[in-house]
Amino acid sequence: MIKFLIAGVLRDRSRSLFPILTVFIGTAITVLMAGYIGGVMPDMIRMSAHLDAGHVKVTSQGYFEDRTQMPLDMALEDAEEIIVRLENQFPDMMWKARTRFGGLLDIPDENGETKAQTTVSALAADLITPGSTELDYLKIRSSIQNGSLPSDAFDIIISQSMAESYGLAIGDRVTLMSSTINGSMSFQNFRIAGTVVFGVTALDKGGAIFTDIEGARMSLDMEGGSTEILGFFKDDEYTGERAQIVTNWINSNMSVEGDPYSPIAFRFEDVNEFAAMMQWAGAFIFIISGVFIAIMFIVLWNSGLMNGLRRYGEVGLRLAIGEAKGHVYRSMLVESTLIGTIGTIFGTILGLFFVYLLQEYGVDISGMGISDTGNGIYYPDVIRGKIIPACFYIGFVPGIIAPFLGALVSGRGIYKRQTASLFKELET
Amino acid sequence: MTEVKLIHAHDLVKAYPVADREFVALKNISLEIGKGEFTGLVGPSGSGKTTLLNVIGSLDIPSSGSVTVLDSKIEALTHKQAAQLRNLHIGFIFQTYNLLPVYTVAENVEFPLLLLGKSTDERKDMVAEALEWVGLTEKAEMRPAQLSGGESQRVAIARAMVKKPALVLADEPTANLDAKNSHHILQTMEKLNAELDTTFLFATHDEKVMQYMKRIISLEDGEVVKDEIK
Ligand SMILES: Nc1ncnc2c1ncn2[C@@H]1O[C@H](COP(=O)(O)OP(=O)(O)OP(=O)(O)O)[C@@H](O)[C@H]1O
Ligand SMILES: [Mg+2]
């Protein structure tokens, strides 16, 4: 019987082509979505971790509470000691001190008189130690527009747009005015080593400067300290479970209950509400399948009804030959499952092909200005898919369920109509 | 006329609800048809021939009265039992041949055997035999669209006969055929009736068909008005 059904499906194009195409397109898109999520999520995690959150972030308890204000006075004064301890405890991780602080940049004219002043937000990180990953993690190395990478603790990198607005050139000296960790005023001269264009709106928008961590420590009077310590797994593969072990250890071994200056650690996903996003992304694949089940179900239900009208004659005949209604109905379900399987196989192949293209070539969205969601979550400039295991099977969920449901509903007409009236179709 | 009664109708009434009243298509029909008969139901259009065939074929149920076909009371059968009765014992032939267009001639004939759960070998032999009866062995692999009307109807006969049913119900089997093909079809059925002792019940108003009948039951307005054996 199944052979008969397969032959029927394959030979009667007008019956099967449209449903197969529907399933084909639906599953291809589902697979593409799965591959898109599978590729973009890790990229987003990587980028957001590198730029902002780390895989694990350590700050003082007081700093974390007021983190939107970036209170310099709540910095970890013994950051370097903490790093040494953590490096010993977690040899598969590297730890980086970073300090965020604000200030006023004083730009002099040829005579050394103030030409202009502008507020800046500075990020201090290890930019000059040979082999430091920070130049790459902060995307400075790949974004240099003019000049060169910093080579001295008092070299800074500024955005190209700032250089243009204030007529600054490579090698120019500027003065950064800010307050030290103790609240007194500090004036520090810096040399402009290079300018950067990130192509990421959030990073390029004016006022961002990068200084070396040691230069910042000297000018802010915080030798050995930093506002935050970021931990990165050396293989750059983040999972919540791995990070949890690390934060648990830090919080139980280094935190002191009630001491705002003692450290506290957070996982990447807990720093910027990324957890919700990651869960959502996991659910997204199933939401997509659900949406395609619904869409394809409605389409296939209708085409099933139309086909059913066309096939009343056939149904009547089969009943006349002595097939039971239930048997005819079940064979229609088998038939639609066959159609679903064929459509899904080809749809999955097409979807995998698209994901492969997306994986190999990517789509550059840097021009679209959506790279930053504004809450420390960064999209990569080039969207890349990834062929993840789900790509191979996820299509079968909507691809089989939708045609089956479609036939389940549209085929009910067989039961509703009297045998005799189905049979009547044979007479015309 | 043989003694074994294959069909037994008693006070059979079939009424259809039309608007808010009823239309009575068959009025108190009582008749018996024996095994091996070659009988025609004749009468003007609307006289109830098809309705009667459908009830006898267990495709429809009587409104009142009783119909027994091969010891089964039609009015008491469940859907499944009715399907079973048709599957095992009854073959249908229609005015429009109702071949399944996506299947070959051989597959169309094979279809009832699949439902009976016959093995592949059995099916192959039985299909070959049935196609031989109707002289279509050569066209086994063709599709219905490639056949003439007469050939199509012969395939339909082969399909109805392949399982060697006790009863074949044929509703206007020649209505779409020319004279030559009509005779050919009837001769084929006459031969099968003789060889296999299959009972044939026709519904027709075709004179050509009537001349082959051994018994003619005339219907008018849902009533038997004449019943003659030749
Ligand atoms: N489902 C139905 N509902 C209402 N009336 C019906 C139904 N089926 C048949 N009838 C009526 O019953 C009567 C008998 O119909 P039937 O089809 O048996 O006639 P027939 O003798 O086969 O005619 P023909 O020679 O034209 O095929 C007709 O008047 C028809 O309109
Ligand atoms: Mg009729």
Side-chain angles (χ1 to χ4, degrees), chain A residues 4 11 317 319 322 423 426, chain B residues 54 86 96 102-103 107 143:
Chain A
F4 251 70
R11 291 181 199 163
L317 173 88
L319 294 175
F423 187 65
L426 301 183
Chain B
N54 284 357
R86 294 194 294 273
T96 53
V102 295
Y103 298 114
E107 286 167 338
R143 295 283 185 85

Side-chain angles (χ1 to χ4, degrees), chain A residues 315-351:
Chain A
V315 171
L317 173 88
R318 285 165 63 174
L319 294 175
I321 286 176
E323 202 171 341
K325 276 183 179 181
H327 195 273
V328 176
Y329 187 45
R330 280 195 299 279
S331 81
M332 301 250 164
L333 294 181
V334 171
E335 207 178 277
S336 65
T337 305
L338 276 173
I339 282 173
T341 308
I342 295 171
T344 303
I345 289 172
F346 286 104
T348 299
I349 291 172
L350 181 72

Side-chain angles (χ1 to χ4, degrees), chain A residues 1 4-5 7-8 11-12 15 314 317-325 327 419-420 423-424 426-428, chain B residues 50 54 59-60 79 83 86-87 92 94 96 98 100 102-104 107 110-112 114-115 143 159 163:
Chain A
M1 196 70 187
F4 251 70
L5 293 179
R11 291 181 199 163
D12 187 355
R15 180 202 305 177
E314 177 192 332
L317 173 88
R318 285 165 63 174
L319 294 175
I321 286 176
E323 202 171 341
K325 276 183 179 181
H327 195 273
T419 307
F423 187 65
K424 271 245 147 46
L426 301 183
E427 292 161 32
T428 48
Chain B
T50 297
N54 284 357
L59 289 166
D60 215 341
H79 276 303
R86 294 194 294 273
N87 191 7
F92 287 88
F94 313 96
T96 53
N98 286 302
L100 302 178
V102 295
Y103 298 114
T104 63
E107 286 167 338
E110 188 184 352
F111 198 79
L114 275 173
L115 295 178
R143 295 283 185 85
R159 181 177 61 191
K163 61 191 177 188

Side-chain angles (χ1 to χ4, degrees), chain B residues 131-181:
Chain B
L131 288 177
E132 212 175 288
W133 293 334
V134 296
L136 285 176
T137 308
E138 245 95 277
K139 316 235 157 167
E141 294 313 315
M142 285 193 177
R143 295 283 185 85
Q146 297 167 295
L147 302 178
S148 72
E151 287 167 338
S152 297
Q153 195 59 303
R154 273 147 63 199
V155 175
I157 294 171
R159 181 177 61 191
M161 294 296 302
V162 69
K163 61 191 177 188
K164 298 184 183 155
L167 175 63
V168 170
L169 302 173
D171 196 353
E172 317 271 10
T174 57
N176 288 346
L177 300 178
D178 61 16
K180 184 164 158 272
N181 271 306

Side-chain angles (χ1 to χ4, degrees), chain A residues 134-329:
Chain A
E134 294 286 64
L135 288 169
D136 298 304
Y137 277 19
L138 292 169
K139 294 180 51 142
I140 294 171
R141 192 194 303 281
S142 57
S143 306
I144 283 283
Q145 188 76 10
N146 290 314
S148 59
L149 296 170
S151 54
D152 181 275
F154 297 106
D155 279 353
I156 59 169
I157 300 288
I158 65 172
S159 69
Q160 177 68 23
S161 64
M162 189 195 289
E164 279 163 16
S165 355
Y166 295 101
L168 290 167
I170 304 303
D172 280 2
R173 302 210 165 252
V174 290
T175 306
L176 181 59
M177 294 184 264
S178 47
S179 61
T180 68
I181 192 167
N182 307 310
S184 49
M185 286 295 279
S186 92
F187 298 87
Q188 181 66 54
N189 287 327
F190 287 96
R191 187 187 75 97
I192 294 171
T195 63
V196 282
V197 174
F198 291 110
V200 175
T201 325
L203 301 177
D204 283 329
K205 66 177 178 242
I209 67 171
F210 296 88
T211 74
D212 179 62
I213 187 83
E214 289 305 331
R217 279 169 173 166
M218 281 182 251
S219 65
L220 301 176
D221 211 4
M222 52 188 299
E223 199 51 45
S226 69
T227 56
E228 44 193 65
I229 299 167
L230 302 186
F232 297 98
F233 294 106
K234 285 180 179 162
D235 59 12
D236 213 6
E237 293 296 333
Y238 175 81
T239 68
E241 298 81 57
R242 277 177 97 183
Q244 187 74 57
I245 296 169
V246 179
T247 55
N248 283 349
W249 187 88
I250 295 170
N251 292 335
S252 55
N253 289 287
M254 300 178 100
S255 285
V256 178
E257 181 92 50
D259 175 4
Y261 294 96
S262 77
I264 184 168
F266 294 90
R267 299 182 302 165
F268 165 77
E269 62 200 85
D270 300 324
V271 174
N272 291 316
E273 289 151 29
F274 220 95
M277 188 149 182
M278 284 166 74
Q279 274 165 13
W280 184 82
F284 184 70
I285 294 177
F286 290 94
I287 293 170
I288 285 286
S289 318
V291 167
F292 277 99
I293 288 175
I295 294 173
M296 292 196 291
F297 162 65
I298 290 166
V299 171
L300 295 171
W301 171 16
N302 277 291
S303 80
L305 283 179
M306 275 166 7
N307 256 320
L309 287 180
R310 238 173 27 97
R311 294 175 72 190
Y312 268 136
E314 177 192 332
V315 171
L317 173 88
R318 285 165 63 174
L319 294 175
I321 286 176
E323 202 171 341
K325 276 183 179 181
H327 195 273
V328 176
Y329 187 45

